Amino acid sequence: MPYFPHTSKEIKEMLDFLGIKSIEELFEDIPKSIREKARKNFKLPEALSEIEIYKKIEEISNKNTGKDYISFLGGGAYYHYIPPVVKHIISYPTFYTSYTPYQAEISQGFLQAMFEYQSLICELTGMEVANSSLYEAGSGIAEASLMAHRINGRKEILISKGVHPEYREVLKTYINGMKLNYKEISLDEKGETDLNILKESLSNETSCLIIQSPNFFGVIETKLKEISELLHQNNSLFICSVYPISLGILKPPGEYKADIVVGEGQCLGSPLNFGGPYLGIFATKREFIRQIPGRLVGETKDLEGKRGYVLTLQTREQHIKRSRATSNICTNEALTALATTVYLSLLGKKGLRKVAELCYDRAHYAKKRLLESINTLELTYPSYFFNEFVIKLNKPVKTVYQALKDKKILAGIPLEKFFPERDKELLLAFTEMNTKEEIDYLVKSMKEALE
């Protein structure tokens, strides 16, 4: 990133233009007591030169040691191969911004890219309409819940305990203070949403049910069609959270008549980043199009009959009364969505299926090798899975995890991070980036650590 410090002369010119004598005057509307408190508690370091800043950033960057490790981390963020052309295209100066311009219609190229993104997401999920993205999967689930409430006016939101615990926390934060009821549905012994508990929980106040498949524990929900019928008989909406890569070989939610589909799109052409940016995929049925949150790009014709692209159905608080807006999200993750567009266009249906098959094959090879080689190890859920599964060890994960880390292996996610009582369980994930040799090394190292 270029380094552009303001000179003293430039600062003076700006102050003169504003008719003030110091930068401090810009903040005079803030009570002096608060400014004094901030000055006392918020101490910025001394300004650095360009050379010093580069060295400082290098020092921070060198703390990222993850690239030296073999990673089996998952749980919503996955290490997939990204063809170099993805970065090449999104780095064009005309695209290199994470923000769609405010005068959107003058940016026909970007709007067309978002329109293509929406079309690809519809094809991937089997749904009729997709927006041009939200922040990430968590905000997508929360927005889907609020959308369901707007559609049927009901106040109870049901959510499976198989949904990522962080997504559930985001949802609870969203609905806090909105007088909506939140209820979690437990899992059965196979790790799937318990159908009997769901039936007992449905009522005339049930607005929607949210299910993730494959769920946070890697389990594929096998009763989605039955659950969909059950919900629709109760006039409740079915919200499904997906892992997009898995749709290369699994049925798209449109086939089992989900009403709203959300998902984390990081796996589609975006690298792993601490804190993002990630991508909230959001798609629904045409009948709900006027309730969809965020930006929506439409295709049209101008007076001369030429094809063009516009932002349409702009029911965001940026354009209409706040009380009538569908969401306070007035933007989208444009650059990340563009990366997804390029990624999906490059892979095509066959390529995506191949990636999904590789993930599936690597994970099932790993499961077979682990169970054959380590007698004391067992699967928590004896179920169908895509590329993740939970294993239970015969001792606390902490010691084993550290022993593997010492061998440059990031052995999945200890479930204790989310569930303190589950201190012997690990969530392992496998993608096309994990070689057979790496998996064998994991098995060998884990066996040694458990002995």
Side-chain angles (χ1 to χ4, degrees):
M1 179 178 290
Y3 181 75
F4 292 131
H6 295 300
T7 64
S8 300
K9 182 184 175 186
E10 289 171 336
I11 293 173
K12 185 176 184 310
E13 286 175 356
M14 286 189 279
L15 293 175
D16 290 343
F17 179 82
L18 295 171
I20 55 178
K21 294 181 179 177
S22 69
I23 292 176
E24 185 67 18
E25 285 187 51
L26 289 171
F27 305 102
E28 282 189 344
D29 288 341
I30 301 173
K32 189 175 180 180
S33 60
I34 294 177
R35 281 184 283 146
E36 290 295 330
K37 188 175 181 181
R39 188 178 290 112
K40 182 178 178 182
N41 295 321
F42 186 64
K43 295 179 180 176
L44 286 173
E46 292 296 320
L48 300 175
S49 69
E50 182 171 347
I51 295 173
E52 290 170 327
I53 281 187
Y54 271 117
K55 286 187 176 179
K56 185 73 177 175
I57 290 174
E58 278 181 355
E59 286 176 15
I60 297 171
S61 178
N62 288 335
K63 293 179 182 176
N64 292 322
T65 56
K67 64 181 185 302
D68 301 325
Y69 287 72
I70 301 169
S71 175
F72 299 100
L73 296 168
Y78 301 92
Y79 181 37
H80 287 288
Y81 179 71
I82 303 172
V85 72
V86 174
K87 186 176 181 181
H88 180 73
I89 290 179
I90 68 172
S91 299
Y92 286 173
T94 45
F95 286 133
Y96 202 45
T97 167
S98 59
Y99 216 90
T100 310
Y102 274 95
Q103 294 78 28
E105 276 65 38
I106 67 169
S107 303
Q108 285 294 301
F110 222 131
L111 287 183
Q112 181 178 359
M114 292 303 97
F115 183 81
E116 302 293 349
Y117 163 82
Q118 294 172 183
S119 303
L120 287 164
I121 295 302
C122 286
E123 195 166 348
L124 183 67
T125 58
M127 303 302 284
E128 296 171 312
V129 185
N131 71 9
S132 58
S133 73
L134 298 175
Y135 300 137
E136 29 64 53
S139 61
I141 282 177
E143 289 288 345
S145 305
L146 299 183
M147 179 171 153
H149 169 60
R150 287 195 300 275
I151 290 170
N152 57 27
R154 296 181 176 184
K155 295 185 176 180
E156 185 174 67
I157 295 169
L158 303 183
I159 186 166
S160 167
K161 283 190 174 180
V163 174
H164 196 303
E166 290 177 347
Y167 301 170
R168 284 186 271 152
E169 287 302 312
V170 172
L171 173 60
K172 283 191 276 189
T173 303
Y174 254 70
I175 65 174
N176 183 31
M178 294 188 66
K179 297 181 179 176
L180 296 177
N181 297 323
Y182 172 95
K183 184 175 181 180
E184 294 183 343
I185 307 296
S186 298
L187 305 180
D188 60 21
E189 68 280 358
K190 291 184 177 179
E192 296 189 46
T193 305
D194 194 308
L195 203 55
N196 292 325
I197 295 177
L198 173 60
K199 289 176 180 176
E200 292 170 2
S201 301
L202 287 175
S203 74
N204 291 335
E205 274 304 305
T206 303
S207 176
C208 62
L209 167 71
I210 306 159
I211 281 186
Q212 180 178 330
S213 183
N215 67 23
F216 175 70
F217 305 103
V219 175
I220 296 174
E221 297 272 358
T222 60
K223 304 182 188 71
L224 293 172
K225 186 171 182 292
E226 189 177 351
I227 289 172
S228 178
E229 291 172 353
L230 194 64
L231 289 166
H232 292 145
Q233 287 168 7
N234 194 57
N235 293 321
S236 304
L237 269 65
F238 183 23
I239 300 170
C240 193
S241 175
V242 297
Y243 174 19
I245 292 288
S246 73
L247 297 180
I249 56 174
L250 299 180
K251 278 186 180 180
E255 286 196 19
Y256 44 85
K257 302 188 184 307
D259 296 293
I260 305 172
V261 178
V262 296
E264 176 50 63
Q266 172 272 326
C267 58
L268 303 173
S270 295
L272 291 163
N273 284 315
F274 184 70
Y278 279 5
L279 181 74
I281 287 172
F282 196 102
T284 186
K285 296 176 177 174
R286 183 184 296 272
E287 63 187 281
F288 302 136
I289 193 171
R290 289 192 173 276
Q291 294 297 335
I292 196 168
R295 287 188 157 188
L296 191 65
V297 178
E299 187 181 82
T300 187
K301 289 183 179 178
D302 65 13
L303 291 175
E304 298 176 349
K306 295 177 182 175
R307 186 171 62 175
Y309 298 91
V310 293
L311 289 182
T312 187
L313 298 174
Q314 303 193 64
T315 54
R316 301 169 297 129
E317 65 178 32
Q318 199 175 48
H319 298 97
I320 62 176
K321 288 182 179 177
R322 185 177 184 183
S323 59
R324 297 180 61 193
T326 55
S327 169
N328 65 355
I329 296 180
C330 301
T331 184
N332 69 311
E333 296 281 348
L335 192 68
T336 318
L338 177 63
T340 294
T341 307
V342 179
Y343 178 84
L344 287 174
S345 301
L346 282 171
L347 263 66
K349 287 183 180 178
K350 290 182 179 176
L352 187 66
R353 181 179 181 86
K354 183 64 179 176
V355 173
E357 287 175 344
L358 286 171
C359 295
Y360 179 92
D361 290 343
R362 301 281 158 85
H364 284 73
Y365 172 74
K367 171 210 156 188
K368 183 171 180 287
R369 289 279 291 114
L370 283 165
L371 294 182
E372 283 178 352
S373 305
I374 308 173
N375 295 329
T376 56
L377 186 149
E378 59 181 284
L379 284 183
T380 298
Y381 301 113
S383 308
Y384 295 105
F385 62 93
F386 173 57
N387 74 326
E388 282 179 284
F389 54 86
V390 179
I391 57 172
K392 190 179 290 183
L393 313 181
N394 63 349
K395 60 172 71 172
V397 163
K398 282 181 181 175
T399 52
V400 178
Y401 198 88
Q402 186 56 51
L404 293 173
K405 197 173 178 181
D406 292 341
K407 295 188 175 186
K408 299 291 183 183
I409 297 173
L410 298 174
I413 299 175
L415 288 190
E416 186 181 15
K417 176 183 176 185
F418 300 101
F419 314 100
E421 72 281 7
R422 302 179 72 165
D423 63 343
K424 294 183 179 178
E425 294 175 88
L426 266 176
L427 175 65
L428 291 167
F430 303 84
T431 72
E432 76 278 14
M433 300 299 280
N434 297 121
T435 64
K436 177 178 178 294
E437 290 72 25
E438 289 177 351
I439 295 170
D440 290 340
Y441 182 52
L442 167 72
V443 174
K444 177 176 175 291
S445 302
M446 186 170 288
K447 184 177 182 181
E448 291 171 356
L450 287 168
E451 287 176 350

